[in-house]
Structure formats: structure tokens, C-alpha cells
Amino acid sequence: MPDFSLFRPMQGLPWYLVPIWPLIFLRIQRLRAWFRANGGPGSQMLWAVTNHGRVDVVFLSDDMSVHRSGSFRAPVSPRLARALAGETIAPCPLRRQGRRIPARHTPAPRLSLGIRPFMEKLGPIPDT
């Protein structure tokens, strides 16, 4: 059992977070409830309270992908299943199939008139 409750803050909590401890405690409880609902039977979680009062997840084990036997899984449409399968589809006939122009042959973007003289005075951008 944890050494803290709603009316007894955890040890090591900074003094300036004690007035908002009930809010922090509710965040911890909400995080634990989420983990119980979504975590697999062997999964583990490590959380921490930051100096600003946030409850952050520090570590989640890799067993989060395990689905419980009673979990609800929505059916996937056949079109979505084909899209997710990664099958190659013939190119769209409406798409232009012409030769691509390499980037070095494309015209440079034009600067606005107010910036161009300023940029020319600076010279080339140094390589760092």
C-alpha cells in the first residue's frame, strides 16, 4: 500500500505543492486507473511527480500491446484493412506521369523587394 492518501501527502513532496496535493493525488489515481484498464497482465509502470506538480510517466514496459481477452475490438472495414496491409496499387491514371525536374534545376524562390538588398549586403550565409 502506498504511504500516501488524499489527506496525507507523499514523502519528499516540496512544501509549495502541499496545498494542491488533492489535485495531484487525483491525477495519480486517474493514471493508475488508466493503466489498470490498458496494461497487460505483466506490464509495469513507473510514474513521478515533478517539481511543478505534474504527474509524469517515467517508464512503461513493452507489454502494453497485450490485449485482454474481454476487451472490445472494433471491426475494420475491408478498404481500411487493404490500406493498412501495404499492398501496392496501380498508379492513379489522373496523376501526371511526366519526367521530374531535379531540385538543382528548379528556379530559386524570389525574395520580396524589401529584403533582397539587405540579404545581398550580408553576403553568403556562413557554413557552421
Side-chain angles (χ1 to χ4, degrees):
M1 229 34 215
D3 60 340
F4 56 87
S5 67
L6 180 61
F7 300 109
R8 190 167 32 120
M10 62 179 12
Q11 292 178 352
L13 189 72
W15 62 270
Y16 51 87
L17 293 178
V18 173
I20 61 167
W21 167 249
L23 296 173
I24 295 171
F25 180 77
L26 292 176
R27 288 180 183 171
I28 293 169
Q29 295 303 316
R30 190 174 63 192
L31 179 65
R32 285 182 175 176
W34 170 83
F35 186 71
R36 269 187 249 112
N38 296 317
S43 57
Q44 297 178 356
M45 175 183 64
L46 180 65
W47 55 268
V49 178
T50 64
N51 289 340
H52 301 290
R54 290 183 50 182
V55 178
D56 289 340
V57 175
V58 177
F59 173 78
L60 281 176
S61 67
D62 293 336
D63 289 341
M64 292 297 290
S65 63
V66 177
H67 293 286
R68 296 183 180 180
S69 60
S71 67
F72 173 75
R73 297 189 66 165
V76 178
S77 70
R79 289 178 62 197
L80 179 61
R82 279 195 309 262
L84 294 176
E87 298 174 5
T88 57
I89 303 172
C92 178
L94 300 177
R95 178 180 282 172
R96 182 176 169 195
Q97 299 293 328
R99 187 175 65 93
R100 291 182 179 240
I101 300 173
R104 65 178 182 267
H105 296 298
T106 58
R110 300 195 68 185
L111 297 174
S112 68
L113 296 177
I115 296 177
R116 182 175 223 147
F118 179 72
M119 294 298 289
E120 288 173 355
K121 288 180 185 176
L122 288 178
I125 298 174
D127 220 8
T128 56

